[in-house]
Amino acid sequence: MTVEIGVEEIEDIALGATVLGTGGGGDPHVGKLVAKQAIEEFGPVELLPPDKLDADDFVIPTAQMGAPTVSVEKLPSGREAVTSMERIERELGKTADATMPIECGGINSTFPFAVAARRGLPVVDADGMGRAFPELQHETFNIYGVSGTPAAVSDEQGSTCLIETEDNDQLEWLARGVTVRMGGVAYVSDYPMTGTQIKETAIPGTMSLAKNLGRALRLAEDDAMSAIREVTRESIYGEARSLFEGKIVDVQRRTERGFVFGHVDIDGLDGDEGSTMRIEFQNENLGAAVDGSYVATVPDLITVLDRETGGPIPTESLRYGARVRVLGIRTPEIMRTPAALDVWGPASFGLEATYEPLADHP
């Protein structure tokens, strides 16, 4: 059955993807506005399950990259990633049959819908991270053998840079440098793939999961945690569980090398009174430690919710004094293989922790 994504569905995807985005992925509000504008002008977008792709269908993912704190100051028109996609099409002499997200968090959950609406293309219901991560090699596509290039990076002025590399780590290094020169935020198309490659390497159903999470949160009256738990229970993820409740007492951020680095300290309330949680982030939340001992790390999802409203809080919106609940969600198996942990396990981000998958909530 064909699923069409209109304005209401974009609202839900943006909200749900803020949960899955683990605090990063760029400002979801910006992506939502850009996608809604494109859908209102060009019409709704088909959400295409990966198993409906033909083997030789040509798919070009689209995304924003850069520091989230910069993205809220340099607002996109929605055309930038289309420019990147069309540069790859010219390079390869092929026209895209669909686009898709590279991650299911923040702006990058909704931005592909703006591209799809403008181009009259479907969006594949899958992505390459199952959450948000800060770097372009942090993709299941990369882990399981897909080349990220040719890739194109564009800015709001219409400048475009085509990148071809031998490996995907070098793609990240070069594209990050271009993004910094473009003012700290840019728009990228990379990992051009066939339908077969997507079926073999992507994490399926993540846009549907984001939509269902957002709808559940929107309809939840008092218990956002139960709403999130119910939706994740039916997914390929682990069931959501509460890790900590407390009050934010310190937030430290710095923008460096095109990323936002920092940490947030939370003093416990109620059952967690007397303890302190520190969450370290690089655009996204990477590790959560209580009294110095890690209770969750990448690649599992660590998301901060407003304790009163249940709404997810991106890292750039964390503020002193906020009462919050921290939740964890276990990632799908494809994200927890030894090959995957070599790319995005705790050690890859400098955390002195051994990855232990979160258990389902009791």
Side-chain angles (χ1 to χ4, degrees), residues 21-323:
T22 64
D27 190 332
H29 182 67
V30 172
K32 177 179 69 175
L33 293 180
V34 171
K36 286 171 64 175
Q37 180 186 44
I39 287 171
E40 287 168 352
E41 183 174 354
F42 298 100
V45 172
E46 179 187 359
L47 186 61
L48 185 66
D51 61 8
K52 299 298 183 184
L53 288 166
D54 290 336
D56 59 353
D57 277 344
F58 182 47
V59 182
I60 304 178
T62 47
Q64 182 195 79
M65 69 179 298
T69 50
V70 177
S71 67
V72 299
E73 299 173 359
K74 293 182 61 178
L75 299 178
S77 70
R79 174 71 196 174
E80 296 86 351
V82 177
T83 301
S84 295
M85 169 185 276
E86 291 175 347
R87 182 65 186 87
I88 291 179
E89 289 177 324
R90 292 196 304 274
E91 180 67 18
L92 295 179
K94 300 170 65 175
T95 301
D97 296 302
T99 187
M100 68 182 293
I102 63 171
E103 61 185 347
C104 59
I107 194 172
N108 284 331
S109 62
T110 50
F111 213 87
F113 289 93
V115 174
R118 288 175 178 273
R119 284 289 306 270
L121 297 173
V123 169
V124 180
D125 187 7
D127 79 295
M129 294 185 180
R131 46 165 293 158
F133 274 121
E135 300 184 7
L136 296 180
Q137 80 276 18
H138 293 144
E139 299 282 349
T140 50
F141 316 141
N142 168 48
I143 292 165
Y144 302 114
V146 179
S147 173
T149 64
V153 185
S154 300
D155 68 8
E156 74 280 2
Q157 304 297 325
S159 300
T160 303
C161 179
L162 183 72
I163 298 175
E164 294 186 85
T165 62
E166 291 295 322
D167 63 68
N168 298 326
D169 287 346
Q170 190 180 27
L171 164 63
E172 160 63 28
W173 187 77
L174 290 172
R176 190 67 52 180
V178 171
T179 298
V180 170
R181 295 297 185 272
M182 287 180 168
V185 65
Y187 302 84
V188 62
S189 285
D190 57 0
Y191 292 97
M193 281 179 284
T194 65
T196 294
Q197 288 174 309
I198 288 172
K199 293 174 187 179
E200 292 175 347
T201 67
I203 303 164
T206 51
M207 292 299 97
S208 292
L209 175 58
K211 178 169 67 68
N212 295 340
L213 275 172
R215 184 175 187 275
L217 281 172
R218 177 166 55 84
L219 298 178
E221 295 182 359
D222 318 323
D223 195 349
M225 189 66 207
S226 291
I228 295 171
R229 184 175 297 143
E230 183 67 26
V231 173
T232 56
R233 181 184 296 134
E234 303 301 321
S235 75
I236 62 173
Y237 290 67
E239 186 178 334
R241 60 179 299 183
S242 181
L243 300 176
F244 199 78
E245 294 185 53
K247 172 187 171 181
I248 294 177
V249 294
D250 185 47
V251 184
Q252 298 291 327
R253 300 185 190 88
R254 69 185 189 280
T255 299
E256 181 181 309
R257 296 184 284 115
F259 301 105
V260 177
F261 294 88
H263 67 262
V264 56
D265 290 334
I266 306 166
D267 279 354
L269 296 172
D270 297 340
D272 294 308
E273 188 171 358
S275 292
T276 298
M277 171 177 276
R278 170 167 288 190
I279 300 174
E280 297 161 277
F281 54 81
Q282 179 185 334
N283 288 9
E284 288 78 38
N285 298 323
L286 303 176
V290 175
D291 299 331
S293 298
Y294 283 103
V295 296
T297 68
V298 286
D300 286 336
L301 282 64
I302 302 164
T303 296
V304 181
L305 304 179
D306 185 290
R307 197 174 184 229
E308 303 303 320
T309 69
I313 307 174
T315 55
E316 65 266 25
S317 299
L318 297 169
R319 297 289 183 270
Y320 173 85
R323 268 67 172 175

